[in-house]
Amino acid sequence: MTSHQNTQTMKPATAAKKLGVYLEATPAEFQEGLVSRAELNALQTDPPEWLRELRQNGPHPRPVVAAKLGVSISGLARGGITEPLTTEQIDALKAESPEWLQKERATQAEVRKESVRIKEKHKQEREKRAEREKSGE
């Protein structure tokens, strides 16, 4: 009896998302074929020139643009950014620092701060619970 190993493959859109690149900017052969887990690992370990170029200069997908600008994806939309941007465009936006970007960065900073506060509160609650359980034995 032979065991048949199924090769896991993913759609190009999924692979592009995992690689953090904008699918439409990838080479045609990448967009048209399926990508195996091994191929994805190889691309991540030893990125070809096109992938290094895309990661460095873009165009970047919205999650990457949002991260580079320090805002949420919703914040990008509120700022009117709906298309992928190049690194040059992102740097220009940072330099220009429009009001919407300042506001969204402040909002994002508050969200992060609140997230840390909640995490800390839950940690303290767990510690108190553990103490009560320990002393209740």
Side-chain angles (χ1 to χ4, degrees), residues 16-84:
K17 194 173 190 176
K18 289 179 182 284
L19 292 169
V21 295
Y22 182 56
L23 178 62
E24 283 74 11
T26 61
E29 60 269 14
F30 180 85
Q31 292 180 40
E32 292 162 4
L34 290 176
V35 180
S36 72
R37 181 97 29 219
E39 289 168 329
L40 180 70
N41 291 341
L43 286 170
Q44 288 172 322
T45 307
D46 186 21
E49 183 57 38
W50 66 263
L51 182 53
R52 285 195 299 272
E53 176 71 23
L54 268 181
R55 284 178 167 169
Q56 185 174 353
N57 300 315
H60 303 288
R62 287 184 314 156
V64 174
V65 173
K68 287 179 178 279
L69 289 173
V71 300
S72 66
I73 294 174
S74 322
L76 277 183
R78 285 190 293 270
I81 307 293
T82 56
E83 297 298 312

Side-chain angles (χ1 to χ4, degrees), residues 110-125:
E110 284 301 313
V111 167
R112 282 193 208 102
K113 216 160 76 177
E114 181 64 5
S115 179
V116 167
R117 186 192 70 76
I118 290 169
K119 207 177 203 176
E120 187 58 36
K121 181 181 174 205
H122 287 161
K123 181 182 169 200
Q124 288 172 354
E125 288 169 356

Side-chain angles (χ1 to χ4, degrees), residues 88-114:
E88 193 177 318
Q89 290 169 314
I90 292 168
D91 291 343
L93 254 178
K94 285 179 181 175
E96 186 185 308
S97 193
E99 191 176 325
W100 73 264
L101 181 56
Q102 293 172 33
K103 187 178 164 203
E104 290 300 336
R105 281 181 159 173
T107 300
Q108 192 67 9
E110 284 301 313
V111 167
R112 282 193 208 102
K113 216 160 76 177
E114 181 64 5

